[in-house]
Amino acid sequence: MMVPVALLLLGALTAVAGPRLLARADWADREPVVALWMWQCVVAAVLLCCGLSMTLSAAAAWQAVRGQVFATAPHAVVDAYAFGTAGPWAAATALALLCGALWNLAMLVREVVRSRARRRARRAELLVRAPLLPGEEPSGGRLVILEGERPDAWWLPGATPRLVVTTAALRRLRGRRLDALLAHEQGHARARHDWLLHCSAALAGGFPQVPVFAAFRDEMHRLVELAADDTASRRFGRLTTALALVELNEDRGVFGPAPAPHAEVPRRVHRLLTPPDRLPALHRLRLTATAALVPALPVLVAFVPGLRALGC
């Protein structure tokens, strides 16, 4: 009964090697969408290793679980996993991994609840700062113009999503630069980047001592901005998008000794002003396919004894 152990070792190897390989890749900033996909595949593989190890450990420890998991499997397949040789560690491993899974689910629920609370607070603030006039009916429009001295724009997701733009941003950004800013925010919305950020924050918050989850969260925040920059630059040009970023952030001191939350803005501007050097389409396809194989590997390891028993 070595499959659960092999899965845990594979998960640990993936958690250590995956972020290191991605950190060394010199193409991630050039292809943020591919990098986002690869990070998701690495984290999914780690979670799959833990989930499959928990399931097989529980099947080894308790007959009732085994009967449910292998209800339709031939006896030869069940015998191939050698559940009878499992020691007392099987129940302890299954319970430990189950507690981790429940804790992770609780962290995700907490993150979603907090996010909804923040959205409700911001929507309430919008009603206060941009109230309906007497006799005015709520419109279904997605654009909200908000009086403000600081140029800013953000996407407010939810059942009725809103794109909020301050009057200072409208005064400072003109024409195509304003269009590029709006395209950037719409790029976040179309790709549902908010869910990526929620999941990565839940994993990092639930398991702060696991480096792969902290790196996943940090890279998600960075890569989703690069991906949205590319969405805007494809429609309105890299120079226009870079100028929109500069004009939007120049009053925040980000181009001097910038504080940590805005330290990436100068790098984003420099990236947009650098001539694009995208990977060839075939190379991107190979990277995407290779990443998809990473979470398939734990599934293959888990099924190896059964496949051997069936003569495959």
Side-chain angles (χ1 to χ4, degrees), residues 30 44 62-63 72 75 88 110 144 146 149 172 176 183 188 194 280 306:
R30 291 182 284 159
W62 298 293
Q63 179 64 42
T72 59
H75 290 294
R110 186 188 70 170
V144 177
L146 191 65
E149 296 300 322
R172 177 164 295 182
R176 290 173 60 84
H188 284 311
D194 54 321

Side-chain angles (χ1 to χ4, degrees), residues 27 67 93 109 112 118 129 146 169 192 199 202 220 254 266 281 295 308 310:
W27 52 262
T93 302
V109 171
V112 172
R118 289 192 296 268
R129 296 178 63 184
L146 191 65
R192 298 309 304 266
C199 293
M220 290 304 98
V254 300
R308 284 181 176 175
L310 294 174

Side-chain angles (χ1 to χ4, degrees), residues 118-167:
R118 289 192 296 268
R119 286 204 300 266
R120 284 195 298 268
R122 299 194 82 169
R123 289 181 185 277
E125 182 185 2
L126 285 181
L127 288 176
V128 172
R129 296 178 63 184
L132 296 175
L133 297 176
E136 182 182 2
E137 295 293 332
S139 66
R142 292 190 172 192
L143 181 63
V144 177
I145 308 300
L146 191 65
E147 185 70 32
E149 296 300 322
R150 169 172 287 187
D152 204 357
W154 65 90
W155 185 265
L156 191 60
T160 54
R162 294 287 187 269
L163 177 59
V164 185
V165 183
T166 64
T167 53

Side-chain angles (χ1 to χ4, degrees), residues 7 19 39 47 59 68 82 92 138 151 163 167 200 225-226 241 274-275 306:
L7 286 168
W39 269 103
L47 297 178
Q68 293 295 323
L163 177 59
T167 53
S200 61
E225 294 299 333
L226 299 185
T241 306
T274 303

